[in-house]
Amino acid sequence: MPTTKSVPAVALFDKCRGFTRAREAQAAGLYPYFTPITAAEDTVVTIHGKPKVMMGSNNYLGLTHHPKVLEAAQAALHKYGSGCTGSRFLNGNLDLHEELEARLREFLGKEACLVFSTGYQANLGLVTGLIDHGEVAYLDKLDHASIVDGAMMSRAEVVRFNHGDLAGLDKKLQSDDRPKGAMIIVDGIFSMEGDVADLPKLVPLAKKHGAALAVDDAHSIGVLGPTGAGTAEHFGLTDQVDLIVGTFSKSLASIGGFVAGDEYVIHYLKHHARPLIFTAALPASNTAGVLAALEILRSEPERRAALWANTKRLADGLKGLGFDIGPSTTPIIPILIGPLDKTLVVWRHLFDAGVFTNPVVPPAVPPSQCRLRASVMATHTAEQVDFALEAFAALGKSAGVI
Ligand SMILES: Cc1ncc(COP(=O)(O)O)c(C=O)c1O
């Protein structure tokens, strides 16, 4: 008979045993995370056997199911196999990655581009690859977590300024005016508020202080600008913004990311960005899918027009119903609810009514400013937008939100 020894409890796991919040929400039917989608057809997904109108996706142009994107991905899967099984630095670099970089730099109007395996890694790579000990990263307080994480991982000094407070940023840059490397990094479209970075003010500010300016266009590629090239193009400032970061997980309907800028800066990043060097390359099927999606993005501007028409329909409808959508002017539409418990109740009502939205709760926002985040797609029909609005109208009254 084997003897059973008493094993001392691992103190490290005490916090795991004590973590009950998520289980309590699950028991109350108010847990909105990790919901398994069993089928997805563009604007409609199936969850627990029931259809939901997807109002929480970043698939802005509705390209995830486009036949040309699927065909390109399938062909590449068969030609190159299911994975690159190594870093781009070594055995994982494909001609497709380089073709995508060439297409992106031409599309964005930049000299060079570097493709990463996710948008998150693109930001990590940019910040940790470029900013080092003795240098400073200036971050808007609402910048995406990947920028914040990159800044924390770098050995640089990190300075946060209040969201959109460029006078405050100016003062911080002023008080720091020493000859050292500095980079200001902002989201192009802020992912929680849906507002747009004020590049016409940021560009001269960066120049005045000799700082580099980087814009994370994760939510702006395919959305802003006359050709969909993002925030810098939207303001006619492409040659004034030093670095543009983007992701393939939104308008470009896949996964992956990039950093674009001057050739010598990108060349440096290529040899210093650890989140590029020490991870496996983007699979061929994704890369080919992004190439196809980029082609459609460029050749079908009517998709962008439809996205903006749907954005206006939903935003006007919500405002007309009395909801507070904050400063949003883009397809990201936050619907401010208030406290956490009320937000989860409202989310659940909408979900049961057949509308999928994303709740945004602390620590992403302050405790009193919980919200639902709706995102619009080019391929939503007017009927789907109106269906969502009807669900909002019904619950807004019953839950006392409007
Ligand atoms: C502003 C912003 N930057 C970067 C990312 C990271 O991109 P990905 O999800 O493609 O890794 C996201 C994703 O949510 C984002 O919203």
Side-chain angles (χ1 to χ4, degrees), residues 32-51:
Y33 307 116
F34 300 101
T35 310
I37 292 171
T38 49
E41 286 171 31
D42 195 19
T43 53
V44 177
V45 296
T46 307
I47 298 174
H48 303 142
K50 297 211 174 94

Side-chain angles (χ1 to χ4, degrees), residues 2-286:
T3 52
T4 46
K5 269 204 247 157
S6 75
V7 180
V10 177
L12 181 71
F13 299 148
D14 287 351
K15 58 177 173 281
C16 310
R17 279 185 282 271
F19 175 66
T20 55
R21 258 182 308 136
R23 292 194 201 283
E24 282 155 19
Q26 278 166 334
L30 294 174
Y31 181 76
Y33 307 116
F34 300 101
T35 310
I37 292 171
T38 49
E41 286 171 31
D42 195 19
T43 53
V44 177
V45 296
T46 307
I47 298 174
H48 303 142
K50 297 211 174 94
K52 312 277 175 200
V53 174
M54 175 46 82
M55 283 281 170
S57 168
N58 303 304
N59 184 14
Y60 295 118
L61 300 179
L63 293 180
T64 52
H65 291 69
H66 195 289
K68 286 187 183 162
V69 173
L70 300 183
E71 267 165 37
Q74 218 158 26
L77 180 69
H78 287 283
K79 181 171 174 194
Y80 296 87
S82 58
C84 293
T85 64
S87 162
R88 291 195 61 196
F89 203 66
L90 299 171
N91 62 300
N93 197 42
L94 303 179
D95 55 351
L96 284 179
H97 297 135
E98 298 192 354
E99 186 185 341
L100 181 54
E101 287 170 347
R103 298 268 183 93
L104 281 168
R105 69 176 183 243
E106 189 244 319
F107 171 56
L108 297 165
K110 288 289 175 198
E111 272 178 21
C113 180
L114 188 58
V115 163
F116 289 72
S117 301
T118 67
Y120 184 91
Q121 284 161 298
N123 271 329
L124 287 191
L126 168 71
V127 182
T128 61
L130 213 49
I131 321 181
D132 207 344
H133 182 64
E135 298 174 327
V136 194
Y138 292 89
L139 271 48
D140 186 294
K141 279 196 180 158
L142 291 190
D143 276 355
H144 188 259
S146 51
I147 301 172
V148 179
D149 293 357
M152 288 193 308
M153 277 168 65
S154 79
R155 299 182 309 145
E157 186 185 332
V158 182
V159 176
R160 310 285 303 267
F161 58 94
N162 287 333
H163 178 50
D165 177 12
L166 302 190
L169 171 62
D170 192 18
K171 275 200 202 115
K172 287 181 195 290
L173 282 156
Q174 200 89 49
S175 64
D176 265 7
D177 256 348
R178 280 166 276 153
K180 62 185 167 190
M183 181 154 72
I184 303 167
I185 313 160
V186 293
D187 286 11
I189 292 178
F190 285 89
S191 56
M192 293 300 149
E193 302 285 321
D195 56 337
V196 180
D198 190 348
L199 295 191
K201 290 207 178 107
L202 274 161
V203 163
L205 197 59
K207 284 198 189 315
K208 176 176 157 193
H209 297 284
L213 177 61
V215 177
D216 176 359
D217 261 349
H219 294 276
S220 325
I221 299 293
V223 174
L224 288 181
T227 71
T231 317
E233 187 195 42
H234 169 74
F235 287 115
L237 290 168
T238 298
D239 54 347
Q240 308 289 312
V241 169
D242 298 295
L243 291 148
I244 298 174
V245 183
T247 174
F248 306 145
S249 65
K250 305 189 196 298
S251 286
L252 291 168
S254 183
I255 190 164
F258 67 83
V259 180
D262 286 349
E263 195 280 333
Y264 69 100
V265 179
I266 297 303
H267 179 76
Y268 179 89
L269 267 186
K270 209 168 169 176
H271 298 90
H272 290 83
R274 292 166 65 92
L276 173 84
I277 295 168
F278 293 100
T279 197
L282 187 69
S285 48
N286 296 88

